[in-house]
Amino acid sequence: AEYAVGTKDPKYVLEGSGNRAILDQSRSTLIHNSKREGGNWYRIAGPKSCGFCRLLATQGPVYSSAHAAAASHDRCKCKVAVQRPGMTHTPPKHMHGWNEDYENLREQVIKDGLKPDLKNIVNAWNRQIRQELKLLGESAEHLQDVA
């Protein structure tokens, strides 16, 4: 709350933090059930999600730790799902092509002389998403670059 009051739009910041807290509880429940049943979880990022969320979503059902499952940020609207033993993972249609996007961005980061780490790939992806949203005339205020 102290941080929010010091920003130019405290309501926006507080709404984002509240949204995160509510959705983190849902994520925690799924993580608990996944551990109990022996499954892994995967991230379902929305069509307008940021580079960070897209990167995590491209990994598929590989997450089992609470730390990885809880990775979120203010205004994050990602969902998680559990792949129980015997199930097949099928990403939503809007996520098709994201693995190729990741590989292309990773190669571009290397060509640009940067280390292909999480920070540089996520920032490159956010730049690409901003350009796409700008062409569509949509807001990209939810995208935050990794410091």
Side-chain angles (χ1 to χ4, degrees), residues 35-146:
K35 286 181 179 178
R36 191 180 58 174
E37 297 168 4
N40 287 331
W41 77 275
Y42 57 96
R43 187 179 198 92
I44 303 172
K48 297 178 188 175
S49 61
C50 68
F52 174 75
C53 294
R54 289 182 185 201
L55 184 112
L56 294 180
T58 62
Q59 305 306 304
V62 299
Y63 301 104
S64 59
S65 77
H67 176 72
S72 65
H73 54 83
D74 289 353
R75 299 210 173 268
C76 179
K77 294 183 180 171
C78 291
K79 297 176 182 168
V80 294
V82 177
Q83 179 175 325
R84 292 170 174 84
M87 291 176 69
T88 303
H89 171 65
T90 306
K93 288 182 182 180
H94 69 267
M95 289 175 52
H96 290 214
W98 285 4
N99 287 331
E100 292 81 8
D101 287 348
Y102 167 78
E103 291 298 329
N104 292 337
L105 288 163
R106 186 178 186 282
E107 288 176 20
Q108 186 60 50
V109 164
I110 292 169
K111 285 180 187 176
D112 291 344
L114 300 171
K115 183 178 177 184
D117 59 11
L118 174 78
K119 178 182 107 172
N120 290 327
I121 294 170
V122 167
N123 290 342
W125 213 333
N126 282 342
R127 284 190 296 275
Q128 176 181 307
I129 296 165
R130 278 188 193 99
Q131 290 173 349
E132 292 169 1
L133 291 174
K134 187 176 180 179
L135 290 173
L136 295 172
E138 297 184 25
S139 172
E141 66 184 23
H142 66 286
L143 299 177
Q144 298 174 354
D145 286 338
V146 180

Side-chain angles (χ1 to χ4, degrees), residues 12-60:
Y12 179 82
V13 173
L14 288 171
E15 285 175 352
S17 295
N19 181 54
R20 177 182 182 178
I22 291 167
L23 291 176
D24 278 351
Q25 286 303 310
S26 172
R27 294 177 186 114
S28 294
T29 299
L30 285 170
I31 293 163
H32 172 75
N33 291 342
S34 174
K35 286 181 179 178
R36 191 180 58 174
E37 297 168 4
N40 287 331
W41 77 275
Y42 57 96
R43 187 179 198 92
I44 303 172
K48 297 178 188 175
S49 61
C50 68
F52 174 75
C53 294
R54 289 182 185 201
L55 184 112
L56 294 180
T58 62
Q59 305 306 304

